Amino acid sequence: MLNYLIKRLLEMIPTLFGITLVSFFIIHLAPGKPTDILTELNPKITPEARKKLEEYYGLDKPIIVQYGMWLKRVVRLDFGESFSTDHRPVMEKIWDRSQPIFERRLFITFFINALSMLLIFLIAIPVGISSAVRQYSLFDKVTTVVVFIGFAIPSFWLALLLMMLFGIHLHWLPISGLKSMNYESLSLIGKIWDRTAHLLLPVFVSAFGGIAGLSRYMRSNMLEVIRQDYIVTARAKGLPESKVIYKHALRNALLPIITLLGLSVPGLIGGSVIFENIFGIPGMGQLFFMGVMTRDYPLVMGILTIGALLTLLGNLLADIGYMLADPRIRAK
Amino acid sequence: MSIFWRRFRRNRLAVAGAVVVAFLFIIAIAAPLISPYDPNEIDRAHILEPPGPEHPLGTDDLGRDVLSRMIYGSRISLSVGFVAVGIATIVGIFFGALSGYYGGWVDRIIMRFVDIMLSIPTFFLILAVIAFVGPSIWNIMVVIGLTSWMGVARLVRAEFLSLKEREFVLAERALGAGNMRIIFSHILPNSMAPVFVSAVLGVAAAILVESALSFLGIGVQPPTPSWGNILTLGKDNIEIAWWLSVFPGLAILITVLAYNLVGEGLRDALDPRLWGSER
């Protein structure tokens, strides 16, 4: 088992290398240069000054050399300096050590994604089981409709609708940011509620599509398992139905779900750009969007790399989970 | 084919989806004939008017008719959906066929490349590339297409792996047919069913991505109307103009739902394992 883990970890290295290589080339080969924006803002800039800037950023060198330079820094976890006017290191922008941990961008994005992942599993698995066990019941039909809508609904539209209903119409929940203006003056319980209230809509919106997908998947797994011979055997020997379902069927139906954990990470991270933009959440997605608009190569590359790393870690966790849950794999 | 049609027709939801898809096509093609106003006609006297007899779906912040803009917006959604999926399907078939037919190191390299593309948070990459090359409808189609071919490649590869050992292919080879002839006239046509299903589902996914990009302001640029960029106005005017948010989103939802229903219906109808399981 340890050998397998080490092998998997080693396999991640060439994949991560490939991801950064592909991203780096795509981003740097896209037409236009970051210095174009400076030129647009300041039409008086001379070609010499522009050239100097390009030299300063290393943009005059061949792209493969630029990649080499970038890679050499990244192995030391240094993503370089941002191209924006503040020139802060990218790492500091993503993980600002001068801030408390729950104010750091990477933490905010990670935390919201982790919460929505938890919500997805907590809701989707029981829903999937119940609709499989009572196939074609009213509950099953209703969830099927909800699932199809969940697949098709644009998350940003769902966000707008919920903001209108709970924020503007009912005034129950705040619609923007992570805390209120008067946060500092609140009591401890007030502070906890304030933060929770700000998180409710973003977490629900980012989880909704996943809940639909996973509950559908859980339902079809469960239906498949229930038809197996060993379930018939379990019933035939007189076990109560709850035991048949929750002890014999569930464990096998859950196995494929674990892989989904890894596969859903890129989608969740990608979605964070959208909901952080709508809800005004100062996370990594928002930072990425700003970086993209200002052609901040180091920042964009840094966040893409971290996103890919999180994806690979998600896959690894899924593998480990699978191994722990399935004795057949553990034995190998 | 006739079994297939009978099975598809029996699936009422899938037929409903197909009707909606056909209806959307008609709207997109006939846009100039059916839209009540010029979608770009600015009317400062009637800005942000709620739905009423003059403007069935209200007006936006420049007094433009929302219904007309949505009718024209359907052209964007449909064309982005189809062109992006066309690109993804061609690229996917190319890599999948190479990988599955030749195997060996070709297969290993291509599949590793697929793994890499699947591990990049694709939406981030799309966002970055479009922001850099500039938001235009063609760029959006190409970029969405080039970042969503991996599923098709895997499907085609799997089909090729199983088909290339079948008797009819071996017989063809024994008769002296070349690789290209075997790939294009024998294996490929037999592996198209799952590709077709995934293409229909892909249209839905591409429409969602386009609307998200337009919503973020880096997709289709105003004044060209798209469902996504009408929703941006909805967000800006969320406290005063609900109709700018509700209707375009509903249009996206219905369109994507229709494509998904058709796709699922096709999948079930094409899956021989389900044949005869219901009467």
Side-chain angles (χ1 to χ4, degrees), chain A residues 241-316:
Chain A
E241 186 65 18
S242 65
K243 219 168 181 179
V244 174
I245 298 294
Y246 292 103
K247 199 146 180 266
H248 294 245
L250 183 59
R251 284 189 65 174
N252 284 294
L254 272 179
L255 279 178
I257 298 290
I258 298 173
T259 357
L260 229 69
L261 176 95
L263 291 176
S264 59
V265 175
L268 279 175
I269 297 177
S272 60
V273 181
I274 298 174
F275 69 75
E276 287 178 9
N277 179 296
I278 298 176
F279 292 108
I281 293 169
M284 210 169 64
Q286 196 194 50
L287 185 68
F288 185 79
F289 191 68
M290 296 192 289
V292 152
M293 298 313 267
T294 53
R295 280 184 166 262
D296 193 340
Y297 286 171
L299 184 64
V300 168
M301 273 309 295
I303 295 178
L304 268 175
T305 309
I306 289 176
L309 194 65
L310 288 178
T311 307
L312 292 179
L313 285 177
N315 286 337
L316 185 71

Coordinates of all heavy atoms in Angstrom, one line a residue, chain A residues 241-316:
Chain A
E241 N -34.9 -5.4 5.5 CA -34.6 -4.6 4.3 C -33.6 -3.5 4.6 O -32.7 -3.2 3.8 CB -35.9 -4.0 3.8 CG -35.8 -3.2 2.5 CD -35.4 -4.1 1.3 OE1 -35.6 -5.4 1.4 OE2 -35.0 -3.6 0.3
S242 N -33.7 -2.9 5.8 CA -32.8 -1.8 6.1 C -31.3 -2.3 6.1 O -30.4 -1.6 5.7 CB -33.1 -1.1 7.5 OG -32.9 -2.1 8.5
K243 N -31.2 -3.5 6.7 CA -29.8 -4.1 6.7 C -29.3 -4.4 5.3 O -28.1 -4.2 5.0 CB -29.8 -5.3 7.6 CG -28.6 -5.4 8.5 CD -28.7 -6.5 9.5 CE -27.4 -6.5 10.4 NZ -27.5 -7.5 11.4
V244 N -30.2 -4.9 4.5 CA -29.8 -5.3 3.1 C -29.3 -4.0 2.4 O -28.3 -4.0 1.8 CB -31.0 -5.9 2.4 CG1 -30.7 -6.1 0.9 CG2 -31.5 -7.2 3.0
I245 N -30.1 -2.9 2.6 CA -29.8 -1.7 1.8 C -28.5 -1.1 2.4 O -27.5 -0.8 1.7 CB -31.0 -0.7 1.9 CG1 -32.2 -1.3 1.2 CG2 -30.6 0.6 1.3 CD1 -32.0 -1.5 -0.3
Y246 N -28.6 -0.8 3.7 CA -27.5 0.0 4.3 C -26.2 -0.7 4.6 O -25.1 -0.1 4.6 CB -28.0 0.8 5.6 CG -29.0 1.8 5.2 CD1 -30.3 1.6 5.5 CD2 -28.6 3.0 4.6 CE1 -31.3 2.5 5.1 CE2 -29.6 3.9 4.2 CZ -30.9 3.7 4.5 OH -31.8 4.6 4.1
K247 N -26.3 -2.1 4.7 CA -25.1 -2.8 5.0 C -24.5 -3.4 3.8 O -23.3 -3.3 3.5 CB -25.3 -3.8 6.1 CG -24.1 -4.3 6.8 CD -24.3 -4.6 8.2 CE -22.9 -5.1 8.8 NZ -22.7 -6.5 8.8
H248 N -25.4 -4.1 3.0 CA -24.8 -4.9 1.9 C -24.7 -4.1 0.6 O -23.7 -4.1 -0.1 CB -25.7 -6.1 1.7 CG -25.6 -7.1 2.8 ND1 -25.1 -8.3 2.7 CD2 -26.0 -7.0 4.1 CE1 -25.2 -9.0 3.9 NE2 -25.7 -8.1 4.8
A249 N -25.8 -3.4 0.3 CA -25.8 -2.7 -1.0 C -25.0 -1.4 -0.9 O -24.2 -1.1 -1.8 CB -27.3 -2.4 -1.4
L250 N -25.2 -0.6 0.1 CA -24.6 0.8 0.2 C -23.1 0.8 0.0 O -22.6 1.6 -0.8 CB -25.0 1.4 1.5 CG -24.5 2.9 1.6 CD1 -25.1 3.7 0.5 CD2 -24.9 3.4 3.0
R251 N -22.4 -0.1 0.7 CA -21.0 -0.1 0.6 C -20.5 -0.3 -0.8 O -19.6 0.4 -1.2 CB -20.4 -1.2 1.5 CG -20.5 -0.9 2.9 CD -19.7 -1.9 3.8 NE -18.3 -1.8 3.5 CZ -17.4 -2.5 4.2 NH1 -17.8 -3.3 5.2 NH2 -16.1 -2.4 3.9
N252 N -21.1 -1.1 -1.6 CA -20.7 -1.3 -3.0 C -21.1 -0.2 -3.9 O -20.4 0.1 -4.8 CB -21.2 -2.7 -3.5 CG -20.4 -3.8 -2.9 OD1 -19.2 -3.9 -3.2 ND2 -21.0 -4.6 -2.1
A253 N -22.3 0.4 -3.6 CA -22.7 1.5 -4.4 C -21.9 2.7 -4.2 O -21.8 3.6 -5.0 CB -24.2 1.7 -4.1
L254 N -21.3 2.8 -3.0 CA -20.5 4.0 -2.6 C -19.2 4.1 -3.3 O -18.6 5.1 -3.6 CB -20.3 4.1 -1.1 CG -21.4 4.8 -0.3 CD1 -21.0 4.8 1.2 CD2 -21.6 6.3 -0.8
L255 N -18.7 2.9 -3.6 CA -17.3 2.8 -4.2 C -17.0 3.8 -5.4 O -16.1 4.6 -5.3 CB -16.9 1.4 -4.6 CG -16.5 0.5 -3.4 CD1 -16.2 -0.9 -3.9 CD2 -15.3 1.1 -2.7
P256 N -17.9 3.7 -6.4 CA -17.6 4.6 -7.6 C -17.7 6.1 -7.3 O -17.1 6.9 -7.9 CB -18.6 4.2 -8.6 CG -19.2 2.9 -8.1 CD -19.0 2.9 -6.7
I257 N -18.5 6.4 -6.2 CA -18.7 7.8 -5.8 C -17.4 8.4 -5.4 O -17.1 9.6 -5.7 CB -19.7 7.8 -4.6 CG1 -21.0 7.3 -5.0 CG2 -19.8 9.3 -4.1 CD1 -21.8 8.1 -6.0
I258 N -16.5 7.6 -4.8 CA -15.2 8.1 -4.3 C -14.4 8.7 -5.4 O -13.8 9.8 -5.3 CB -14.4 7.1 -3.5 CG1 -15.3 6.6 -2.3 CG2 -13.1 7.6 -3.1 CD1 -14.7 5.4 -1.6
T259 N -14.4 8.1 -6.6 CA -13.6 8.6 -7.7 C -14.2 10.0 -8.1 O -13.4 10.8 -8.6 CB -13.8 7.7 -8.9 OG1 -14.5 6.5 -8.6 CG2 -12.4 7.3 -9.4
L260 N -15.5 10.1 -8.0 CA -16.1 11.4 -8.4 C -15.5 12.6 -7.6 O -15.4 13.7 -8.1 CB -17.6 11.3 -8.2 CG -18.4 11.8 -9.4 CD1 -18.2 10.8 -10.5 CD2 -19.8 11.9 -9.0
L261 N -15.1 12.3 -6.4 CA -14.5 13.3 -5.5 C -13.4 14.0 -6.2 O -13.3 15.2 -6.3 CB -14.0 12.7 -4.2 CG -13.3 13.5 -3.2 CD1 -14.3 14.1 -2.2 CD2 -12.2 12.8 -2.5
G262 N -12.5 13.1 -6.8 CA -11.3 13.7 -7.5 C -11.7 14.4 -8.8 O -11.2 15.5 -9.0
L263 N -12.7 13.8 -9.5 CA -13.0 14.4 -10.8 C -13.7 15.7 -10.7 O -13.7 16.5 -11.6 CB -13.9 13.4 -11.6 CG -13.2 12.1 -12.0 CD1 -14.2 11.2 -12.7 CD2 -12.1 12.5 -13.0
S264 N -14.4 16.0 -9.5 CA -15.2 17.2 -9.4 C -14.4 18.4 -9.0 O -14.9 19.5 -9.1 CB -16.3 17.0 -8.5 OG -15.8 16.7 -7.2
V265 N -13.1 18.2 -8.6 CA -12.3 19.3 -8.2 C -12.1 20.4 -9.2 O -12.3 21.6 -9.0 CB -10.9 18.9 -7.6 CG1 -10.1 20.0 -7.2 CG2 -11.2 18.0 -6.4
P266 N -11.7 20.1 -10.5 CA -11.5 21.2 -11.5 C -12.7 22.0 -11.7 O -12.7 23.2 -11.8 CB -11.1 20.5 -12.7 CG -10.8 19.1 -12.4 CD -11.4 18.8 -11.1
G267 N -13.9 21.3 -11.8 CA -15.1 22.0 -12.0 C -15.4 23.0 -10.9 O -15.8 24.2 -11.1
L268 N -15.2 22.5 -9.6 CA -15.5 23.4 -8.5 C -14.6 24.6 -8.5 O -15.0 25.8 -8.3 CB -15.3 22.6 -7.2 CG -16.5 21.7 -6.7 CD1 -16.1 20.9 -5.5 CD2 -17.7 22.6 -6.4
I269 N -13.3 24.4 -8.7 CA -12.3 25.5 -8.7 C -12.7 26.5 -9.8 O -12.7 27.7 -9.6 CB -10.9 25.0 -8.9 CG1 -10.5 24.1 -7.7 CG2 -9.9 26.1 -9.0 CD1 -9.2 23.5 -7.8
G270 N -13.0 25.9 -11.0 CA -13.3 26.8 -12.1 C -14.6 27.6 -11.8 O -14.6 28.8 -12.1
G271 N -15.5 27.0 -11.1 CA -16.8 27.7 -10.8 C -16.5 28.8 -9.8 O -17.3 29.8 -9.7
S272 N -15.4 28.7 -9.0 CA -15.2 29.8 -8.0 C -15.0 31.2 -8.7 O -15.3 32.2 -8.0 CB -14.0 29.4 -7.1 OG -12.9 29.3 -7.9
V273 N -14.5 31.2 -9.9 CA -14.4 32.5 -10.6 C -15.8 33.2 -10.6 O -15.9 34.3 -10.3 CB -13.8 32.4 -12.0 CG1 -13.7 33.8 -12.6 CG2 -12.5 31.7 -12.0
I274 N -16.8 32.3 -11.0 CA -18.1 32.9 -11.2 C -18.7 33.3 -9.9 O -19.2 34.5 -9.8 CB -19.0 31.8 -11.9 CG1 -18.4 31.5 -13.3 CG2 -20.4 32.3 -12.1 CD1 -19.1 30.4 -14.0
F275 N -18.8 32.4 -8.9 CA -19.5 32.9 -7.7 C -18.8 33.9 -6.9 O -19.4 34.7 -6.2 CB -20.0 31.7 -6.9 CG -19.0 30.9 -6.2 CD1 -18.4 31.3 -5.1 CD2 -18.7 29.6 -6.7 CE1 -17.5 30.6 -4.4 CE2 -17.7 28.8 -6.0 CZ -17.1 29.3 -4.9
E276 N -17.4 33.9 -7.0 CA -16.7 34.9 -6.2 C -16.9 36.3 -6.9 O -17.0 37.3 -6.2 CB -15.2 34.6 -6.2 CG -14.9 33.5 -5.2 CD -13.4 33.1 -5.1 OE1 -12.6 33.8 -5.7 OE2 -13.1 32.1 -4.5
N277 N -17.1 36.3 -8.2 CA -17.4 37.5 -9.0 C -18.8 38.0 -8.6 O -19.0 39.2 -8.3 CB -17.3 37.2 -10.5 CG -17.7 38.4 -11.3 OD1 -18.8 38.9 -11.3 ND2 -16.7 38.9 -12.1
I278 N -19.8 37.1 -8.5 CA -21.2 37.5 -8.2 C -21.3 38.0 -6.8 O -21.9 39.0 -6.5 CB -22.2 36.4 -8.5 CG1 -22.1 36.0 -10.0 CG2 -23.6 36.8 -8.1 CD1 -23.0 34.8 -10.3
F279 N -20.8 37.2 -5.9 CA -21.0 37.5 -4.5 C -19.9 38.5 -3.9 O -19.9 38.7 -2.7 CB -21.1 36.2 -3.6 CG -22.3 35.4 -3.9 CD1 -22.2 34.2 -4.6 CD2 -23.5 35.8 -3.5 CE1 -23.3 33.5 -4.9 CE2 -24.7 35.1 -3.7 CZ -24.6 33.9 -4.4
G280 N -19.0 38.9 -4.7 CA -18.0 39.8 -4.2 C -17.1 39.2 -3.2 O -16.8 39.8 -2.1
I281 N -16.7 37.9 -3.4 CA -15.9 37.3 -2.4 C -14.4 37.4 -2.7 O -14.0 37.1 -3.8 CB -16.3 35.8 -2.3 CG1 -17.7 35.7 -1.7 CG2 -15.3 35.0 -1.4 CD1 -18.3 34.3 -1.8
P282 N -13.6 37.9 -1.8 CA -12.2 38.1 -2.1 C -11.4 36.8 -2.1 O -10.5 36.7 -1.2 CB -11.7 39.1 -1.0 CG -12.6 38.8 0.1 CD -13.9 38.3 -0.4
G283 N -11.6 35.9 -3.0 CA -10.9 34.7 -3.0 C -9.9 34.6 -4.2 O -9.7 35.6 -4.9
M284 N -9.5 33.3 -4.5 CA -8.5 33.1 -5.5 C -9.1 33.3 -6.9 O -8.5 33.8 -7.8 CB -8.0 31.7 -5.4 CG -6.5 31.6 -5.9 SD -5.9 30.0 -5.4 CE -6.9 28.8 -6.3
G285 N -10.4 33.0 -7.1 CA -11.1 33.1 -8.4 C -11.2 34.6 -8.8 O -10.9 34.9 -9.9
Q286 N -11.5 35.4 -7.8 CA -11.6 36.8 -8.1 C -10.2 37.4 -8.5 O -10.1 38.2 -9.4 CB -12.1 37.5 -6.8 CG -12.6 38.9 -7.0 CD -12.8 39.7 -5.7 OE1 -11.9 39.7 -4.9 NE2 -14.0 40.2 -5.5
L287 N -9.2 36.9 -7.7 CA -7.8 37.4 -8.0 C -7.4 37.0 -9.4 O -6.8 37.7 -10.2 CB -6.9 36.8 -7.0 CG -5.4 37.2 -7.1 CD1 -5.3 38.7 -6.7 CD2 -4.6 36.4 -6.2
F288 N -7.8 35.7 -9.8 CA -7.5 35.2 -11.1 C -8.2 36.1 -12.2 O -7.6 36.4 -13.2 CB -8.0 33.8 -11.3 CG -7.6 33.1 -12.6 CD1 -6.3 32.6 -12.7 CD2 -8.5 33.0 -13.6 CE1 -6.0 32.0 -13.9 CE2 -8.1 32.4 -14.8 CZ -6.9 31.9 -15.0
F289 N -9.4 36.4 -12.0 CA -10.2 37.2 -12.9 C -9.4 38.6 -13.1 O -9.2 39.1 -14.2 CB -11.6 37.4 -12.4 CG -12.5 38.1 -13.5 CD1 -12.8 37.3 -14.6 CD2 -13.0 39.3 -13.3 CE1 -13.6 37.9 -15.6 CE2 -13.8 39.9 -14.3 CZ -14.1 39.2 -15.4
M290 N -9.0 39.2 -12.0 CA -8.3 40.5 -12.1 C -7.0 40.3 -12.9 O -6.6 41.1 -13.7 CB -8.0 41.1 -10.7 CG -9.3 41.4 -10.0 SD -9.0 42.4 -8.5 CE -8.3 41.3 -7.4
G291 N -6.3 39.2 -12.6 CA -5.0 38.9 -13.2 C -5.2 38.7 -14.7 O -4.4 39.2 -15.5
V292 N -6.3 38.0 -15.1 CA -6.5 37.8 -16.5 C -6.8 39.1 -17.2 O -6.4 39.3 -18.3 CB -7.7 36.8 -16.6 CG1 -8.5 37.0 -17.9 CG2 -7.3 35.4 -16.5
M293 N -7.6 40.0 -16.6 CA -7.9 41.2 -17.3 C -6.7 42.1 -17.4 O -6.7 43.0 -18.3 CB -9.0 42.0 -16.4 CG -10.3 41.2 -16.3 SD -10.9 40.6 -17.9 CE -12.0 41.9 -18.4
T294 N -5.7 42.0 -16.6 CA -4.5 42.9 -16.7 C -3.3 42.1 -17.3 O -2.2 42.6 -17.2 CB -4.1 43.5 -15.3 OG1 -4.0 42.4 -14.4 CG2 -5.2 44.4 -14.8
R295 N -3.6 40.9 -17.8 CA -2.5 40.1 -18.4 C -1.3 40.0 -17.5 O -0.2 40.1 -17.9 CB -2.0 40.8 -19.7 CG -2.8 40.6 -20.8 CD -2.3 41.2 -22.0 NE -3.0 40.7 -23.2 CZ -2.5 39.7 -23.9 NH1 -1.4 39.1 -23.7 NH2 -3.2 39.3 -24.9
D296 N -1.6 39.6 -16.3 CA -0.6 39.5 -15.2 C -0.1 38.0 -15.3 O -0.6 37.1 -14.6 CB -1.2 39.8 -13.9 CG -0.2 39.9 -12.8 OD1 0.9 39.4 -13.0 OD2 -0.5 40.5 -11.8
Y297 N 0.8 37.7 -16.3 CA 1.3 36.3 -16.5 C 1.7 35.6 -15.3 O 1.2 34.5 -15.0 CB 2.5 36.3 -17.5 CG 2.2 36.6 -18.9 CD1 3.2 36.8 -19.8 CD2 0.9 36.6 -19.4 CE1 2.9 37.0 -21.2 CE2 0.6 36.9 -20.7 CZ 1.6 37.1 -21.6 OH 1.4 37.3 -22.9
P298 N 2.5 36.2 -14.4 CA 3.0 35.4 -13.2 C 1.8 35.0 -12.3 O 1.7 33.9 -11.8 CB 3.9 36.3 -12.5 CG 4.4 37.3 -13.5 CD 3.2 37.5 -14.4
L299 N 0.9 35.9 -12.2 CA -0.3 35.7 -11.3 C -1.2 34.6 -11.9 O -1.6 33.6 -11.2 CB -1.1 37.0 -11.1 CG -2.3 36.9 -10.2 CD1 -1.8 36.6 -8.8 CD2 -3.1 38.2 -10.2
V300 N -1.5 34.7 -13.2 CA -2.3 33.7 -13.9 C -1.7 32.3 -13.8 O -2.3 31.3 -13.5 CB -2.5 34.1 -15.4 CG1 -3.2 33.0 -16.2 CG2 -3.4 35.4 -15.4
M301 N -0.4 32.3 -14.1 CA 0.3 31.0 -14.1 C 0.3 30.4 -12.7 O 0.2 29.2 -12.5 CB 1.8 31.1 -14.6 CG 2.0 31.0 -16.0 SD 1.2 29.5 -16.8 CE 2.2 28.2 -16.0
G302 N 0.6 31.3 -11.7 CA 0.6 30.8 -10.3 C -0.7 30.2 -9.9 O -0.7 29.1 -9.3
I303 N -1.8 30.8 -10.2 CA -3.1 30.3 -9.8 C -3.5 29.1 -10.6 O -4.0 28.1 -10.0 CB -4.2 31.4 -9.9 CG1 -3.9 32.5 -8.9 CG2 -5.6 30.8 -9.7 CD1 -4.9 33.7 -9.0
L304 N -3.1 29.0 -11.9 CA -3.4 27.8 -12.7 C -2.6 26.6 -12.1 O -3.2 25.5 -12.0 CB -2.9 28.0 -14.1 CG -4.0 28.5 -15.1 CD1 -3.3 28.8 -16.5 CD2 -5.1 27.5 -15.3
T305 N -1.4 26.9 -11.7 CA -0.6 25.8 -11.1 C -1.2 25.3 -9.8 O -1.3 24.1 -9.6 CB 0.9 26.3 -10.9 OG1 1.3 26.9 -12.1 CG2 1.7 25.1 -10.5
I306 N -1.6 26.2 -9.0 CA -2.2 25.8 -7.7 C -3.5 25.1 -7.9 O -3.8 24.0 -7.3 CB -2.4 27.1 -6.8 CG1 -1.1 27.6 -6.3 CG2 -3.3 26.7 -5.6 CD1 -1.2 28.8 -5.5
G307 N -4.3 25.5 -8.9 CA -5.5 24.8 -9.2 C -5.2 23.4 -9.7 O -5.9 22.5 -9.3
A308 N -4.2 23.3 -10.6 CA -3.9 21.9 -11.1 C -3.4 21.0 -9.9 O -3.7 19.9 -9.8 CB -2.8 22.0 -12.1
L309 N -2.6 21.6 -9.0 CA -2.1 20.9 -7.9 C -3.2 20.4 -7.0 O -3.3 19.2 -6.6 CB -1.1 21.8 -7.1 CG -0.2 21.1 -6.1 CD1 0.7 20.2 -6.8 CD2 0.5 22.1 -5.2
L310 N -4.2 21.3 -6.8 CA -5.4 20.9 -6.0 C -6.1 19.7 -6.7 O -6.6 18.8 -6.0 CB -6.3 22.0 -5.7 CG -5.8 23.1 -4.8 CD1 -6.8 24.3 -4.7 CD2 -5.6 22.5 -3.4
T311 N -6.2 19.8 -8.0 CA -6.9 18.8 -8.8 C -6.2 17.4 -8.6 O -6.8 16.4 -8.3 CB -6.9 19.1 -10.2 OG1 -7.5 20.4 -10.4 CG2 -7.8 18.1 -11.0
L312 N -4.9 17.4 -8.7 CA -4.1 16.2 -8.6 C -4.2 15.6 -7.2 O -4.3 14.4 -7.0 CB -2.7 16.4 -9.0 CG -2.4 16.7 -10.5 CD1 -0.9 17.0 -10.7 CD2 -2.9 15.6 -11.3
L313 N -4.2 16.5 -6.2 CA -4.3 16.1 -4.8 C -5.7 15.5 -4.6 O -5.8 14.5 -3.9 CB -4.1 17.2 -3.8 CG -2.7 17.7 -3.7 CD1 -2.6 18.9 -2.7 CD2 -1.8 16.5 -3.1
G314 N -6.7 16.1 -5.2 CA -8.1 15.5 -5.1 C -8.1 14.1 -5.7 O -8.7 13.2 -5.1
N315 N -7.4 13.9 -6.9 CA -7.4 12.6 -7.5 C -6.7 11.6 -6.6 O -7.1 10.4 -6.4 CB -6.6 12.6 -8.8 CG -7.4 13.3 -9.9 OD1 -8.7 13.3 -9.8 ND2 -6.8 13.8 -10.9
L316 N -5.6 12.0 -5.9 CA -4.8 11.2 -5.0 C -5.7 10.8 -3.8 O -5.7 9.6 -3.5 CB -3.6 11.9 -4.6 CG -2.6 11.1 -3.8 CD1 -1.9 10.0 -4.6 CD2 -1.6 11.9 -3.1

